[in-house]
Amino acid sequence: MALISLGLEGTAHSFGAGIVTSNGEVLSNVWDMLLPKEGGIHPREASQHHAELGPDIISRAFDEAGISPNEIDIVAFSRGPGLGPCLRVTATMARAISLALKVPLVGVNHCVAHVEIGCFESGFDDPVTVYVSGGNTQIIAFAGGRFRTFGETLDIAIGNMLDTFGRIVGMRFPAGPIVERQAKEGSKYYPLPYSVKGMDLSYSGMLTAAKKLYDDGVPLEDICFSVQETAFGMLGEIAERAIAHTKKRELLLTGGVARNNRLTEILEGVAARHGAQFHRVSPPLAGDQGAMIAWTGLLQHQAGDHLEVSESYVLPKWRTDAQDIIWRS
Amino acid sequence: MEGELWALGAESKIIRAVWQERPVAIKSRVVKPYLLADIDELLRRQRTARECKMLTYARSLGIPTPAVYFIDRRNNAIVMDFIEGEQLKEVAQHADIALLEQLCSKFGTMIGYLHRGKVVHGDPTTSNVIVDPMGKLWMVDFGLAEWNATVEMMGVDLHLVHRALETTHWDRQDTMLDAFLEGYSSVMGAAAAAVLSRMEEIRERGRYH
């Protein structure tokens, strides 16, 4: 009989609850994102958001799935990496559910979950994954029993760069989609620092330079165009290096910034050059949500992994490559 | 000049040929159609020029590099010595531990000589170190190298070594990193400490806490 898993995600500004079965059905996937009136995400405000809305989001997940809480077999939660206060609120809810319903607790790595839900949707076995969001920019691939980070940002994440730039030029949060719309109107390329180091990259230099272009009165659509071409070009290049290096045949794009069509086009080009298959994770599964935690929790549970409540402290700095991936060989 | 395709990387193709009775490698940077043409052209030009100068400059700092014969700026190609040998990446798969330590320590001294000369390599992976049949190490692929290196830039260079070891040589990474850092520190002396602590710091960045 199929197992039913409840997954709770709460590493940053979003809280989500998803219910997934071991047959691969997503029964529900409810989430809510903190939208600050101004400025960025404050960890404490985000954790308060999760504490206030979490219980209702979880109830809605059960309602939409059409099951009652005592039908679940496991509860999984995002154990890290992420903002400490957010992780602790989420873990507290998961522990309470585990104890009240007497179901095993599973601690899931947020970055690993992004990769696994992408594999779930695409049917990929062993991809190079480009994981791009507000807080993360990583190129991840499986090697030697672990998901290893082949490349990542040396300073700020791509989403953070786009949001910060957007805030400077008066766009609301999240700025990524607005930058994308503006970029479509632009055509003149203004050179920005292109900073690739090995398979890593850096975005802080181009952010400063883009700000300067804005101060100099360069049309916003041209800056947005130049920002996208530079930032996504760098990602395309390190993704290509990772594919050439690992010789893997699948390229997966996931995370909140996966919604961007220009980035998708660039990575399709990368995959085509190497005869690799490409998949962009669909928006409902690409951002931070509970279904990915529920699904990865099932994989871990079926491989015999579970966590004692007394041992279930959160791991704010949990590296992607610090977990033995016992469900993959 | 004709030759055989010897390697096809992410950004370049290398043709093996013979010129003036010498075995040479013709490295050309190919068009990346997914990049904006302005960016692609600029990168290929810049990296070809940089690699060309840096291969020669690095040799003056004591790092064995292939000699450059000429550069074809229209095709962004460099004609250089062909170094017979095996990538350190491959050697590391089969070398015994004593040899591996010796090679990684030498790799460390080479990066140390570069850094002492205020140069960073920019892509210091084990694919870019060639071990010749005499056991001598050569460094190649200087397209991402930079002059006037700061502690931050050197820290990034060491971070990239660390990253390459943990992703490609996970089962032997500790041995390799220790030997590398031992070689590096022996050349850098007192200056090594600041770079090493920067390397640790860089490793923790780029992730939210």
Side-chain angles (χ1 to χ4, degrees):
Chain A
M1 214 180 92
L3 298 173
I4 300 178
S5 169
L6 167 68
L8 302 185
E9 156 62 36
T11 54
H13 59 352
S14 295
F15 184 87
I19 298 174
V20 176
T21 72
S22 56
N23 290 340
E25 294 162 282
V26 178
L27 301 179
S28 63
N29 200 13
V30 183
W31 58 274
D32 188 85
M33 176 167 63
L34 171 70
L35 283 172
K37 286 192 185 64
E38 56 179 339
I41 305 297
H42 191 291
R44 192 185 59 236
E45 286 166 15
S47 68
Q48 281 164 358
H49 163 269
H50 300 353
E52 280 164 24
L53 299 185
D56 181 51
I57 289 172
I58 296 169
S59 307
R60 275 163 53 205
F62 281 116
D63 291 347
E64 285 185 22
I67 63 165
S68 81
N70 50 33
E71 287 179 71
I72 62 168
D73 297 290
I74 66 163
V75 54
F77 72 105
S78 54
R79 195 178 180 195
L83 303 168
C86 301
L87 294 172
R88 284 189 284 276
V89 164
T90 308
T92 304
M93 289 187 246
R95 288 178 201 125
I97 292 168
S98 167
L99 292 171
L101 300 177
K102 298 189 174 58
V103 291
L105 183 67
V106 183
V108 172
N109 181 300
H110 174 87
C111 302
V112 168
H114 271 293
V115 177
E116 286 295 1
I117 199 73
C119 289
F120 164 87
E121 187 186 76
S122 61
F124 283 178
D125 285 329
D126 187 19
V128 166
T129 301
V130 177
Y131 165 36
V132 279
S133 66
N136 282 286
T137 302
Q138 294 188 37
I139 310 283
I140 304 168
F142 187 73
R146 293 190 174 187
F147 283 110
R148 299 186 191 266
T149 308
F150 281 75
E152 70 186 314
T153 177
L154 290 165
D155 41 50
I156 53 175
I158 175 95
N160 190 355
M161 187 275 289
L162 293 169
D163 289 336
T164 309
F165 170 72
R167 199 157 70 223
I168 292 162
V169 303
M171 294 171 183
R172 59 178 198 282
F173 176 88
I178 310 172
V179 170
E180 182 174 10
R181 276 201 300 280
Q182 287 277 342
K184 281 209 190 82
E185 308 297 318
S187 58
K188 186 162 166 24
Y189 172 70
Y190 288 83
L192 293 168
Y194 184 101
S195 183
V196 164
K197 293 159 197 286
M199 278 186 240
D200 284 2
L201 45 75
S202 150
Y203 283 130
S204 60
M206 63 164 294
L207 175 60
T208 309
K211 197 165 22 177
K212 177 145 192 321
L213 290 179
Y214 183 71
D215 292 341
D216 291 347
V218 171
L220 187 57
E221 60 270 24
D222 288 337
I223 308 178
C224 290
F225 173 73
S226 305
V227 162
Q228 285 211 145
E229 291 303 319
T230 309
F232 300 153
M234 284 157 60
L235 264 173
E237 191 181 359
I238 63 170
E240 181 169 22
R241 284 171 169 245
I243 287 192
H245 182 84
T246 61
K247 307 206 166 23
K248 294 193 192 282
R249 316 296 300 160
E250 297 160 340
L251 181 62
L252 186 67
L253 171 61
T254 194
V257 185
R259 289 185 177 87
N260 188 291
N261 292 322
R262 178 59 185 142
L263 174 59
T264 302
E265 201 174 272
I266 286 177
L267 292 179
E268 275 168 351
V270 169
R273 251 165 83 85
H274 291 267
Q277 280 182 280
F278 174 79
H279 181 79
R280 155 161 74 167
V281 179
S282 63
L285 295 181
D288 290 357
Q289 28 69 35
M292 69 177 190
I293 303 297
W295 174 247
T296 310
L298 273 173
L299 297 175
Q300 287 178 228
H301 173 73
Q302 288 173 318
D305 180 33
H306 83 281
L307 191 60
E308 293 299 329
V309 169
S310 59
E311 298 289 315
S312 64
Y313 50 87
V314 299
L315 300 168
K317 295 190 182 188
W318 200 4
R319 295 180 62 93
T320 309
D321 59 9
Q323 185 186 17
D324 284 317
I325 308 302
I326 52 175
W327 61 93
R328 282 177 177 262
S329 54
Chain B
M1 210 183 301
E2 297 207 342
E4 49 161 330
L5 182 65
W6 186 72
L8 190 62
E11 70 157 356
S12 64
K13 65 172 185 201
I14 295 172
I15 290 171
R16 188 183 173 161
V18 174
W19 179 73
Q20 300 275 332
E21 294 174 12
R22 286 166 194 279
V24 291
I26 308 167
K27 174 173 179 172
S28 47
R29 289 188 155 75
V30 292
V31 175
K32 289 180 190 294
Y34 59 83
L35 286 179
L36 184 72
D38 300 21
I39 296 180
D40 188 45
E41 222 155 277
L42 185 73
L43 290 178
R44 286 190 298 134
R45 219 174 44 228
Q46 219 174 47
R47 289 176 182 177
T48 303
R50 185 169 301 189
E51 171 150 59
C52 197
K53 291 178 198 160
M54 210 51 107
L55 281 166
T56 306
Y57 189 67
R59 190 158 348 97
S60 77
L61 295 173
I63 295 100
T65 60
V68 174
Y69 295 115
F70 52 82
I71 173 170
D72 172 357
R73 300 209 63 165
R74 197 165 18 154
N75 296 311
N76 291 302
I78 303 173
V79 179
M80 62 183 111
D81 264 334
F82 184 89
I83 307 296
E84 204 66 61
E86 214 181 350
Q87 291 175 328
L88 178 56
K89 178 182 162 187
E90 292 153 13
V91 180
Q93 317 272 347
H94 57 72
D96 64 38
I97 201 153
L99 177 62
L100 187 65
E101 282 178 341
Q102 189 202 333
L103 293 173
C104 289
S105 165
K106 266 204 228 167
F107 177 24
T109 61
M110 292 202 296
I111 297 295
Y113 286 132
L114 270 185
H115 286 190
R116 219 167 59 176
K118 298 270 177 265
V119 170
V120 289
H121 182 276
D123 192 18
T125 66
T126 49
S127 305
N128 290 333
V129 178
I130 313 280
V131 184
D132 76 11
M134 307 296 285
K136 179 177 169 182
L137 267 59
W138 300 75
M139 278 225 81
V140 296
D141 213 346
F142 282 80
L144 297 178
E146 288 180 89
W147 278 276
N148 299 323
T150 58
V151 168
E152 168 73 16
M153 290 156 76
M154 297 181 208
V156 169
D157 232 18
L158 292 196
H159 163 74
L160 295 176
V161 171
H162 193 173
R163 153 85 21 96
L165 297 181
E166 74 184 359
T167 53
T168 309
H169 305 282
W170 61 85
D171 46 347
R172 310 186 88 177
Q173 57 170 309
D174 294 337
T175 308
M176 292 177 76
L177 186 66
D178 288 350
F180 174 90
L181 292 177
E182 177 269 312
Y184 180 79
S185 303
S186 74
V187 170
M188 288 289 278
V195 185
L196 289 173
S197 70
R198 189 63 69 97
M199 171 185 84
E200 293 299 334
E201 192 189 313
I202 289 163
R203 205 171 148 74
E204 292 305 317
R205 276 187 219 154
R207 298 153 192 259
Y208 54 166
H209 297 143

